[in-house]
Amino acid sequence: MRILHILNHTRRLNGNVHAAVDLACAQVRLGHQVYMASGGGDFDHLLQAHGITTLLVDHERKPSRLARSLIRLNGHIRKFEVDIVHAHMMTSAVLAFPICKLKGIPLVTTVHNEFEKSATLMGLGTRVIAVSDVVGRSMRRRGVAASKLKVVLNGTIGSSRMEGRSGEPKALKSPSVLFVGGLHPRKGLPDLFEAFDLVHEELPGAHLYIVGNGPHRDQYTELVASLKCAPAVTFAGSISDPYPYMLAADIFVLPSHADPAPLVLSEAREAGCAIVATAVDGIPQLLEHGEAGILVPPHDPSALAKMLIHLLKSPEQISAWKEKSQLRIEYLTIDRVARETMDVYRSAIPSGKMGV
């Protein structure tokens, strides 16, 4: 099959981009011809190394530029005789929709961030992929017909992005608690800082590592500086591969307020982490509804602190939850994601028109 993925850019440290890159590379392994149209970015070299043709399509939201991008995208689709177009972001879906409609080519959209109002526009797709059951239910409430909606749960194990990564654990102060993600309000970091301040009162030897960056970094560092636990908190910044941190951490924590299907949980489970995360959106599904990781209420620093203290005082419990993280972990492979996505494509292509 000839598959064209389209997204705003291919820069690192963006979950939507990571998911699209992982999927495209896995589809090449399945024997398909894959193209990636975007504004370009860090992953273009990786995509090209895996046999994926990268195409430049500007996604800047200015009428004159979008008009040129529409013409360029139309040319790419015609030149490569694409069987399916897969849009991963709202601007991509809006650009691709009129071309696909005119040419009779199925448009598949993936809803990564259903909490955004613009996610409704992803319903333009012939088929709409939701990255978790919760996202699927949300899109149904927005009016997307069940007949064109399919849940394909995120997974990263076996990702081409991870090829050649280090298997050497990072040297961390122990006991250690690790967060990996963007420094955004929806990730619930102020809750984590308040919780860890309570942990620090009872266990002053514990250390918290924050891996990631974002627009609220200065605000968060100032907040931590005002707390008693400040000397025990390290802001590590953006790390291209946080896997060594995961291998070394005693506990991985994700205190999100909203998280449709965070890829980081698949990565943390692959690393064998003991995981504590909030019971919101797609997190319970990624943690086997509490069997592969501990779920705590969101917006509740005291409950989070209580659980962290319980685990940090019980190394045997940490070991037990590290083992539990491997429960049914084979379901989180990118190959499974690719196979299920190909099934969605086939359901969208009219009989007799499939280029396979």
Side-chain angles (χ1 to χ4, degrees):
M1 191 180 296
R2 294 178 295 274
I3 305 160
L4 173 66
H5 291 277
I6 175 170
L7 63 163
N8 293 13
H9 59 81
T10 57
R11 296 191 292 272
R12 292 182 183 275
L13 306 178
N14 179 296
N16 299 2
V17 172
H18 293 179
V21 168
D22 289 351
L23 175 60
C25 292
Q27 288 171 332
V28 169
R29 291 198 297 269
L30 291 175
H32 301 284
Q33 180 63 54
V34 182
Y35 307 88
M36 181 73 75
S38 77
D42 309 306
F43 283 119
D44 282 358
H45 291 304
L46 173 69
L47 292 165
Q48 292 160 9
H50 285 79
I52 296 166
T53 301
T54 56
L55 309 166
L56 186 63
V57 174
D58 191 349
H59 279 61
E60 187 174 352
R61 295 180 192 177
K62 292 183 178 179
S64 60
R65 293 202 176 189
L66 289 175
R68 288 195 294 270
S69 296
L70 194 66
I71 294 169
R72 179 168 289 187
L73 180 61
N74 182 59
H76 291 321
I77 291 174
R78 182 178 64 251
K79 177 181 177 180
F80 296 109
E81 300 181 327
V82 171
D83 296 307
I84 201 100
V85 175
H86 190 156
H88 295 265
M89 297 178 182
M90 182 274 290
T91 305
S92 305
V94 171
L95 272 175
F97 176 72
I99 300 171
C100 291
K101 192 74 172 176
L102 286 170
K103 292 182 177 296
I105 298 172
L107 171 64
V108 173
T109 61
T110 291
V111 184
H112 296 278
N113 295 332
E114 56 79 27
F115 54 82
E116 296 176 349
K117 291 181 179 179
S118 60
T120 300
L121 289 170
M122 303 305 276
L124 291 169
T126 311
R127 293 289 185 274
V128 179
I129 294 175
V131 294
S132 67
D133 288 340
V134 167
V135 174
R137 290 193 290 271
S138 174
M139 295 307 292
R140 285 285 293 114
R141 290 194 295 271
R142 291 174 186 235
V144 176
S147 59
K148 70 174 188 177
L149 185 64
K150 172 68 176 178
V151 173
V152 178
L153 184 67
N154 276 343
T156 63
I157 297 173
S159 159
S160 294
R161 289 182 296 112
M162 309 301 183
E163 292 173 356
R165 69 184 176 189
S166 173
E168 184 69 25
K170 184 76 174 176
L172 303 181
K173 296 177 183 178
S174 188
S176 57
V177 177
L178 172 67
F179 166 88
V180 177
L183 306 191
H184 300 282
R186 71 180 181 88
K187 292 294 185 178
L189 282 163
D191 293 345
L192 175 57
F193 299 142
E194 184 179 340
F196 191 73
D197 208 37
L198 296 172
V199 172
H200 183 71
E201 285 183 17
E202 192 154 342
L203 299 168
H207 205 92
L208 173 63
Y209 292 87
I210 306 296
V211 173
N213 213 337
H216 293 264
R217 175 168 178 155
D218 290 344
Q219 176 186 336
Y220 291 157
T221 54
E222 289 177 11
L223 172 59
V224 169
S226 70
L227 301 175
K228 293 179 181 178
C229 66
V233 179
T234 297
F235 285 85
S238 295
I239 304 293
S240 60
D241 181 13
Y243 194 66
Y245 280 82
M246 295 178 179
L247 290 173
D250 291 299
I251 301 170
F252 180 89
V253 63
L254 189 63
S256 301
H257 296 166
D259 235 334
L263 298 179
V264 72
L265 286 181
S266 174
E267 295 167 7
R269 287 186 59 186
E270 183 181 7
C273 293
I275 299 170
V276 178
T278 46
V280 297
D281 296 343
I283 289 176
Q285 190 175 3
L286 284 165
L287 293 179
E288 296 290 335
H289 301 281
E291 293 186 65
I294 298 171
L295 297 170
V296 296
H299 305 278
D300 193 341
S302 62
L304 178 56
K306 183 178 179 180
M307 183 54 64
L308 292 176
I309 290 169
H310 167 70
L311 290 176
L312 291 170
K313 284 184 172 181
S314 310
E316 69 281 359
Q317 282 295 312
I318 292 177
S319 297
W321 280 104
K322 286 185 174 184
E323 185 175 342
K324 290 178 181 179
S325 73
Q326 302 306 293
L327 179 68
R328 293 186 285 277
I329 197 169
E330 64 279 358
Y331 193 69
L332 297 181
T333 65
I334 188 59
D335 286 342
R336 188 269 308 164
V337 173
R339 290 193 303 272
E340 291 186 5
T341 301
M342 295 308 303
D343 288 341
V344 175
Y345 292 176
R346 293 184 185 100
S347 75
I349 296 175
S351 178
K353 290 189 177 182
M354 195 177 304
V356 292

